[in-house]
């Protein structure tokens, strides 16, 4: 059996990391470990955009390996983008082991709302690592979010169809 690792760099509160770990344990039913990583991600920074390139961060993360790791998701506090997009809430290696979620655009002064948004995006990106694609159900956590309103609309859980696919893949890790 392995673990899903939740790591952070930047100004991500320990309370958020621990809360997200509980969320992941509940939704994916796998053990979770929380850690921090030292990251030199300046190569990902684009000064013209004042943002960090998500794909470059994923490449950096792929060098972080734990022997008992099933997946790794990094929470970061800075704004992310991908080519052709103004910003991304997160990005994952489809069917791979690594994902990154930015808290930057998910912030809300109500901590409950803020944490819930982070949970949704963590679950969404981890879903991609387990081979799930975007879902047409706007309430499924796997629905594509192009705005914060779309993040707020969806659930932090998977629709029955996506849950069935996810449970099949997760059965190999339990």
């Amino acid at each position: 059996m392995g673990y899903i690792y939740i790591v952070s760099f930047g100004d991500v509160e320990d309370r958020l990391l621990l809360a997200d770990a509980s969320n992941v344990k509940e939704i994916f039913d796998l053990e979770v470990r929380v850690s921090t990583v030292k990251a030199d991600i300046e190569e990902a920074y684009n000064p013209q955009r004042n943002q960090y390139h998500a794909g470059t961060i994923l490449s950096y993360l792929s060098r972080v390996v734990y022997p008992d790791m099933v997946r790794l998701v990094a929470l970061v506090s800075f704004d992310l983008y991908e080519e052709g997009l103004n910003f991304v809430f997160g990005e994952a290696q489809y069917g791979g082991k690594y994902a990154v979620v930015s808290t930057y655009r998910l912030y809300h002064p109500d901590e409950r709302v803020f944490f819930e948004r982070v949970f949704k995006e963590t679950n969404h990106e981890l879903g991609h690592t387990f081979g799930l694609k975007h879902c047409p159900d706007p309430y499924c956590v796997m629905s594509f979010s192009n705005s914060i309103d779309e993040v707020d609309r969806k659930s932090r859980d998977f629709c029955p169809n996506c849950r069935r696919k996810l449970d099949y893949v997760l059965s190999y890790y339990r």
Side-chain angles (χ1 to χ4, degrees):
M1 180 166 116
Y3 297 90
I4 295 177
Y5 278 81
I6 299 179
V7 302
S8 70
F9 44 94
D11 299 326
V12 178
E13 283 187 54
D14 289 345
R15 287 173 11 82
L16 177 56
L17 283 173
L18 294 172
D20 203 19
S22 293
N23 157 65
V24 168
K25 168 86 173 111
E26 177 185 340
I27 298 295
F28 292 87
D29 194 29
L30 291 173
E31 293 301 315
V32 180
R33 290 196 169 163
V34 176
S35 185
T36 57
V37 291
K38 293 190 189 291
D40 179 15
I41 51 149
E42 285 312 304
E43 66 192 58
Y45 183 67
N46 182 328
Q48 286 79 36
R49 295 180 67 128
N50 194 29
Q51 292 175 301
Y52 289 79
H53 184 251
T56 302
I57 292 173
L58 282 178
S59 293
Y60 173 82
L61 288 173
S62 67
R63 294 178 282 211
V64 178
V65 178
Y66 297 99
D68 54 358
M69 180 182 88
V70 172
R71 297 293 187 273
L72 182 144
V73 59
L75 298 184
V76 299
S77 58
F78 37 80
D79 202 15
L80 298 176
Y81 78 97
E82 198 47 70
E83 295 304 324
L85 298 172
N86 291 330
F87 70 92
V88 291
F89 294 118
E91 188 168 316
Q93 294 174 329
Y94 179 74
K97 291 190 173 212
Y98 298 92
V100 60
V101 172
S102 170
T103 63
Y104 186 84
R105 292 180 187 259
L106 300 174
Y107 180 75
H108 191 280
D110 180 336
E111 183 178 84
R112 183 189 55 78
V113 173
F114 175 49
F115 279 29
E116 189 74 11
R117 288 173 174 175
V118 173
F119 299 166
K120 290 174 185 181
E121 291 308 305
T122 298
N123 297 349
H124 178 93
E125 298 305 339
L126 280 172
H128 284 317
T129 69
F130 286 110
L132 296 179
K133 295 183 177 173
H134 287 143
C135 179
D137 180 344
Y139 302 104
C140 177
V141 75
M142 289 311 298
S143 69
F144 177 74
S145 296
N146 201 31
S147 70
I148 201 68
D149 290 338
E150 291 171 344
V151 173
D152 288 339
R153 177 183 62 212
K154 67 184 176 183
S155 162
R156 72 180 174 101
D157 209 341
F158 299 85
C159 71
N161 189 39
C162 289
R163 171 52 71 183
R164 195 169 31 261
K165 292 174 187 175
L166 179 65
D167 285 343
Y168 176 78
V169 175
L170 290 175
S171 69
Y172 290 97
Y173 299 99
R174 294 186 182 130

